[in-house]
């Protein structure tokens, strides 16, 4: 089991990262504003266009410290990596499965099963805890849709049919998502999913959370020797980490969506933490992004009992455990890929 170390988030747009001895040094306008021991880090995520020194990139690659670059708005740009140490036999098996529509569907349907299960459980929790504040009939209908779709997901044999069932479930889920927002309704409301760019505060938060989660999934897959760019549900596209998008499907409702609801309902963020561009695109301010990332990092440290392993691990290790389980399935150690089923 990989030990979960700290992740360093660099949110200043003009910060330059360099290496000094065994330390990551954060520079702004040629002034050192931060210094962190590299051996204490497992991941560095920079939201700055200024970049990082080649020496730091090399040191991170040598020490297996992830180094990812995002735009100030949270869009993933690239990851720095060294010589691939992945198991060639594992990757060849992955590529063969990705080229086999039937096998791709078998793996993908397990992930989508996990997504529907976790979405339903999220709705059931809101229904149980806040039944007097929501439209219980609407929630009952949405939960029933998911319950009836779950056995169909397990029987589907082609990817197009699987995508159709997943789309039906998503419509039901997002149809009640606004009711799960219990506070600050004047600033946080959900009228439907929109992105590239997000047009309201809630969609800006969802897009940012999905970007962070996708990066965590990509790092987890690479760490176990899998190719994050070759997926089963999401097909090949240049520059897209398709397998990371596959893996994060089952984690969206419990790790990203639920987290977004928490920071809204607990008033961690407010309407003043967002700004709207002339193009109508909405993004978080620097201060809002810092508050979000602080809570995100704290959330990753919280313990949860993994439903398959039945042992306590930090939330931040969930993508790594799922990547390990996927690798074990591809190696033939497991009869099927066990999705993460939130309890």
């Amino acid at each position: 089991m990989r030990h979960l170390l700290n992740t360093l988030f660099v949110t200043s747009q003009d910060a330059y990262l360099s290496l000094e001895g065994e330390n990551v040094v954060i520079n702004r306008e040629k002034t050192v504003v931060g210094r962190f021991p590299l051996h204490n880090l497992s991941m560095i995520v920079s939201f700055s266009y200024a970049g990082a020194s080649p020496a730091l990139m090399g040191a991170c690659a040598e020490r297996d410290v992830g180094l990812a670059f995002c735009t100030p708005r949270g869009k993933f740009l690239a990851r720095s990596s060294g010589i691939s140490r992945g198991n060639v036999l594992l990757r060849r098996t992955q590529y063969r499965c990705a080229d086999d529509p039937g096998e791709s569907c078998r793996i993908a349907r397990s992930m989508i099963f996990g997504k529907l299960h976790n979405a339903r459980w999220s709705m059931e929790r809101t229904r149980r805890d806040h039944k007097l504040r929501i439209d219980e009939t609407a929630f009952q209908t949405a939960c029933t849709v998911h319950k009836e779709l779950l056995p169909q997901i397990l029987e589907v044999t082609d990817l197009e049919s699987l995508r159709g069932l997943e789309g039906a479930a998503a419509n039901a889920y997002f149809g009640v998502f606004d009711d799960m927002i219990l506070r600050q309704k004047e600033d946080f409301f959900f009228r439907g999913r929109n992105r590239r760019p997000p047009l309201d505060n809630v969609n800006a938060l969802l897009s940012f959370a999905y970007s962070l989660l996708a990066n965590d999934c990509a790092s987890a897959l690479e760490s176990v020797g899998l190719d994050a760019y070759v997926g089963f549900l999401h097909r090949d596209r240049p520059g897209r980490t398709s397998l990371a998008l596959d893996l994060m499907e089952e984690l969206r409702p419990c790790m990203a969506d639920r987290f977004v609801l928490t920071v809204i309902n607990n008033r961690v963020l407010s309407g003043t933490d967002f700004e709207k561009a002339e193009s109508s695109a909405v993004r978080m301010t620097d201060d809002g992004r810092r508050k979000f990332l602080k809570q995100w990092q704290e959330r990753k440290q919280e313990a949860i009992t993994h439903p398959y392993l039945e042992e306590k691990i930090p939330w931040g290790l969930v993508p790594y455990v799922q990547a390990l389980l996927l690798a074990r399935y591809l190696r033939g150690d497991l009869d099927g890929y066990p999705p993460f089923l939130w309890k």
Side-chain angles (χ1 to χ4, degrees), residues 119-253:
R120 180 189 174 198
W121 182 238
S122 180
M123 293 186 290
E124 290 285 9
R125 288 188 63 172
T126 299
R127 183 180 167 206
R128 179 195 65 197
D129 297 339
H130 306 285
K131 62 186 306 181
L132 298 179
R133 304 178 63 181
I134 63 171
D135 184 345
E136 190 174 7
T137 301
F139 272 75
Q140 173 64 51
T141 300
C143 290
T144 300
V145 168
H146 281 66
K147 181 179 180 180
E148 293 176 348
L149 285 174
L150 285 173
Q152 298 180 50
I153 293 291
L154 293 179
E155 298 297 326
V156 72
T157 57
D158 66 276
L159 291 172
E160 284 306 311
S161 298
L162 179 61
R163 294 187 183 101
L165 295 175
E166 190 274 336
N171 287 335
Y173 172 70
F174 282 123
V176 298
F177 195 82
D178 186 64
D179 283 348
M180 289 193 274
I181 301 171
L182 305 173
R183 296 185 175 90
Q184 306 187 86
K185 298 291 286 189
E186 67 281 1
D187 292 316
F188 297 96
F189 50 84
F190 185 81
R191 301 293 182 265
R193 185 77 177 105
N194 53 69
R195 48 198 175 280
R196 301 188 191 94
L199 302 177
D200 57 65
N201 296 348
V202 175
N203 274 288
L205 288 173
L206 289 173
S207 292
F208 192 57
Y210 292 160
S211 177
L212 294 174
L213 182 56
N215 183 71
D216 286 348
C217 289
S219 296
L221 292 164
E222 293 287 350
S223 74
V224 302
L226 290 167
D227 189 337
Y229 289 86
V230 180
F232 305 111
L233 178 64
H234 295 82
R235 308 312 290 174
D236 295 351
R237 181 182 298 176
R240 182 171 75 175
T241 53
S242 296
L243 187 58
L245 298 181
D246 288 354
L247 186 65
M248 73 179 284
E249 287 294 342
E250 65 202 69
L251 304 179
R252 285 179 190 258

Side-chain angles (χ1 to χ4, degrees), residues 10 13 22 27 50 58 117 127 168 174 190 214 217 272 280 301 318:
V10 182
Q13 298 184 24
E22 292 296 316
N27 303 272
H117 173 279
R127 183 180 167 206
F174 282 123
F190 185 81
C217 289
T272 59
S280 296
Q301 301 294 335
V318 171

Side-chain angles (χ1 to χ4, degrees), residues 317-333:
L317 265 183
V318 171
Y320 288 89
V321 172
Q322 294 308 120
L324 285 168
L325 292 173
L326 179 58
R328 289 194 64 189
Y329 167 69
L330 292 172
R331 289 191 181 101
D333 297 333

Side-chain angles (χ1 to χ4, degrees), residues 292-337:
F292 186 98
L293 290 170
K294 179 177 182 294
Q295 294 294 319
W296 178 266
Q297 184 67 357
E298 291 177 358
R299 172 67 166 169
K300 288 171 64 176
Q301 301 294 335
E302 294 177 7
I304 185 175
T305 300
H306 192 279
Y308 183 79
L309 300 181
E310 297 183 345
E311 62 178 276
K312 286 188 176 296
I313 62 170
W315 265 109
L317 265 183
V318 171
Y320 288 89
V321 172
Q322 294 308 120
L324 285 168
L325 292 173
L326 179 58
R328 289 194 64 189
Y329 167 69
L330 292 172
R331 289 191 181 101
D333 297 333
L334 297 173
D335 293 333
Y337 167 70

